[in-house]
Amino acid sequence: MYFQSEPLIKSSTLVARSYAQHCGLARALDFVGERWTLLIVRELMAGPRRYTDLADGLMTIPSNLLATRLREMEANGLIARRRLPAPASSVVVYELTDDGESLSTAVIELARWGMRTLPVTTGGRPLRAHWLVLALHARFDPRAAAGVSESYELQLDGEEPVSFEVTAGDGHARMGPAADPAVRIAGDADTLVALTAGTISGLEAVHRGARIEGDPAALERMRRILPGGPIAASGQPVAQAR
Amino acid sequence: MYFQSEPLIKSSTLVARSYAQHCGLARALDFVGERWTLLIVRELMAGPRRYTDLADGLMTIPSNLLATRLREMEANGLIARRRLPAPASSVVVYELTDDGESLSTAVIELARWGMRTLPVTTGGRPLRAHWLVLALHARFDPRAAAGVSESYELQLDGEEPVSFEVTAGDGHARMGPAADPAVRIAGDADTLVALTAGTISGLEAVHRGARIEGDPAALERMRRILPGGPIAASGQPVAQAR
DNA sequence: CCGCATCCGATGTGATACTG
DNA sequence: CAGTATCACATCGGATGCGG
């Protein structure tokens, strides 16, 4: 493993830069510490996606970087590229391998940490439906879900619905409509964010244009099981002088 | 917030590059996604440290990058710089704020993920004692610790000992010797890694030069409570062609 | 269109040297 | 000891091109 094949071809940095420390965190960052890599994992946590879907979901990633990252992640065993079967052949999709999937607990914890400082209004930042798969997992509170078995459906205007299914203390989010949701909510991003964050009531959400169907009691359970809202955000800026 | 103060002073990129997405993961990476940042968190999880301690623990970080990262992390509220009190004044130490400390669950999960592919031999990679604070937290299995209340002490040759205290299903690692350890183990890095990974026995470790004191049964409990070893590492390389 | 590759300016990183 | 300063270079970001 100390030698690479074809060592003379262009010879441009064949070895990704590594921290080279015998430490689990350093090793993890060797694999997923580079820019965009964990966001690609986030995209694929919503299911297999094609190249253009990824570019669209990542919004501002340069095309060459996306191609490079996908190559790296495939070489590192995090993702697999696959051709779709019979009719839609020639279509390539990327999906998480088991190793890549096993990142989700760490990714969820990171998202949970980052969510604390997310304002309850999107404030110009885009919000895509499939990001909710991660967000709902991060928000899930198993204690509040004890004894509950029902599902919820959220739909951002113009996007595919997302469903969250609670089964006996366990919870799981995925793309697509729920079979028989206890509550179904549709509306624009800011209204859904505020509603699930608990800063506005269901009535207020409807007043803002949201469509809510189902049991009002189930809506309250959903807000306890999937609590949101910034946890007394310290309001620190990301920006600073160099 | 659209205008920065002092816009004319050197004017070099006052805004750190941000993903600018309404997503908890993207926000987390805005704060801790840049190179070296999470490793600095790792260093400080072992307690307050001075600049040169950090430079030493990070091993290969350029001095200017360390200074830059510390400035960024302080501006973002992750760490605080503090002068030591009375006698040793003029000594500056860095420590995690509550916000920085709250990263530990995510950091531990990332480390747990990365540890799977760490070989059971250090293979030339350095291993520092204070990294064990994170490693032991990542290895801790609460289920195996149920009903156990005792502490263990590990010491890498020539370094400060690290202790792990189990109290009724809960576990915590910190720098420094344990008060009354059920087991005390000292030895070189590869021996301690192999012993805690379960690939060699205590007898074999002693044969390799380790010093083990205490109850052999407690050593077995420790190996169950702090299990190690790569979880069928898929052996994928970090390196790949560009 | 989809799935990239190429080009290029701006920025970040790494190694070394230097300073209060 | 606790950082700055400098500089070569790798990487990133944005635009554009291009074969299938």
Side-chain angles (χ1 to χ4, degrees):
Chain A
M1 266 314 188
Y2 295 110
F3 291 93
Q4 303 278 343
S5 56
E6 307 185 275
L8 293 180
I9 295 184
K10 295 222 62 182
S11 131
S12 66
T13 334
L14 282 172
V15 176
R17 71 191 155 168
S18 159
Y19 290 110
Q21 299 176 355
H22 194 83
C23 159
L25 180 65
R27 176 131 264 237
L29 295 173
D30 281 343
F31 282 86
V32 299
E34 275 177 306
R35 205 164 159 74
W36 294 108
T37 304
L38 280 182
L39 291 187
I40 294 176
V41 173
R42 171 196 71 188
E43 294 295 308
L44 296 179
M45 281 176 68
R49 308 223 137 212
R50 352 194 338 186
Y51 186 90
T52 42
D53 296 332
L54 291 170
D56 181 60
L58 295 166
M59 319 226 51
T60 61
I61 190 173
S63 176
N64 57 351
L65 262 195
L66 177 55
T68 300
R69 289 287 177 272
L70 291 174
R71 240 178 294 130
E72 293 167 347
M73 294 172 74
E74 190 188 2
N76 286 336
L78 298 181
I79 64 176
R81 65 194 291 135
R82 179 169 56 92
R83 287 191 174 280
L84 287 189
S89 179
S90 88
V91 173
V92 178
V93 293
Y94 297 88
E95 59 192 345
L96 291 175
T97 62
D98 288 346
D99 271 14
E101 187 73 42
S102 67
L103 266 167
S104 51
T105 53
V107 166
I108 288 168
E109 286 301 326
L110 260 180
R112 200 195 306 277
W113 184 84
M115 275 178 13
R116 304 167 320 143
T117 64
L118 265 185
V120 286
T121 57
T122 60
R125 286 178 298 276
L127 169 58
R128 304 296 303 275
H130 63 276
W131 299 350
L132 294 177
V133 172
L134 172 57
L136 294 178
H137 275 130
R139 289 188 163 191
F140 178 60
D141 179 1
R143 293 182 305 273
V148 178
S149 283
E150 60 191 13
S151 61
Y152 316 110
E153 182 182 312
L154 298 175
Q155 182 170 16
L156 288 174
D157 288 339
E159 301 227 24
E160 187 182 359
V162 181
S163 48
F164 192 88
E165 188 169 349
V166 182
T167 14
D170 209 21
H172 185 71
R174 60 168 178 79
M175 297 304 293
D180 181 30
V183 185
R184 177 182 286 128
I185 308 175
D188 64 71
D190 273 322
T191 304
L192 261 64
V193 166
L195 178 62
T196 57
T199 57
I200 63 172
S201 66
L203 196 62
E204 176 68 16
V206 170
H207 187 255
R208 285 213 215 166
R211 280 84 65 207
I212 305 183
E213 306 169 17
D215 182 7
L219 174 61
E220 285 315 305
R221 283 196 297 276
M222 187 194 87
R223 300 219 287 185
R224 283 204 327 276
I225 292 173
L226 299 169
I231 306 173
S234 52
Q236 299 292 346
V238 171
Q240 71 290 323
R242 290 293 155 101
Chain B
M1 265 312 189
Y2 294 109
F3 291 93
Q4 303 282 342
S5 56
E6 305 186 278
L8 293 179
I9 295 185
K10 295 223 59 182
S11 129
S12 64
T13 334
L14 283 173
V15 177
R17 77 193 150 167
S18 158
Y19 290 110
Q21 299 176 355
H22 195 83
C23 158
L25 180 65
R27 176 131 265 235
L29 294 174
D30 281 344
F31 282 86
V32 298
E34 275 176 305
R35 204 163 162 73
W36 294 108
T37 303
L38 281 182
L39 291 188
I40 293 176
V41 173
R42 172 196 70 188
E43 293 295 308
L44 295 179
M45 281 177 68
R49 307 222 138 210
R50 351 192 341 184
Y51 187 89
T52 41
D53 295 334
L54 291 169
D56 180 61
L58 294 166
M59 320 224 53
T60 61
I61 191 175
S63 178
N64 57 352
L65 262 195
L66 177 56
T68 301
R69 290 288 178 270
L70 291 174
R71 237 178 296 135
E72 293 166 348
M73 294 172 74
E74 191 188 3
N76 286 336
L78 299 180
I79 64 175
R81 65 194 291 138
R82 179 168 57 90
R83 286 192 176 279
L84 286 190
S89 179
S90 88
V91 173
V92 178
V93 293
Y94 297 89
E95 59 192 346
L96 292 175
T97 62
D98 288 347
D99 272 14
E101 187 72 42
S102 68
L103 266 166
S104 52
T105 53
V107 166
I108 288 168
E109 284 303 325
L110 261 181
R112 201 195 305 278
W113 184 83
M115 276 180 11
R116 306 167 320 143
T117 64
L118 266 186
V120 286
T121 56
T122 59
R125 287 178 298 276
L127 169 57
R128 304 297 301 275
H130 62 276
W131 299 350
L132 294 177
V133 171
L134 172 57
L136 294 178
H137 275 130
R139 289 189 162 191
F140 178 59
D141 180 1
R143 293 183 304 276
V148 178
S149 283
E150 61 192 13
S151 62
Y152 316 110
E153 183 183 310
L154 298 175
Q155 181 170 17
L156 289 173
D157 290 339
E159 301 227 25
E160 189 182 358
V162 180
S163 49
F164 193 89
E165 188 169 349
V166 182
T167 16
D170 207 22
H172 186 71
R174 58 169 180 79
M175 295 305 291
D180 182 31
V183 185
R184 178 181 287 129
I185 309 175
D188 64 70
D190 274 322
T191 304
L192 260 65
V193 166
L195 178 61
T196 57
T199 57
I200 62 172
S201 66
L203 196 63
E204 176 68 17
V206 170
H207 187 256
R208 285 213 215 167
R211 280 84 64 205
I212 305 182
E213 307 168 17
D215 182 7
L219 174 60
E220 284 317 303
R221 284 196 297 275
M222 186 194 89
R223 301 219 288 187
R224 284 204 326 275
I225 292 172
L226 299 168
I231 304 171
S234 52
Q236 300 291 347
V238 171
Q240 71 289 321
R242 290 291 156 103

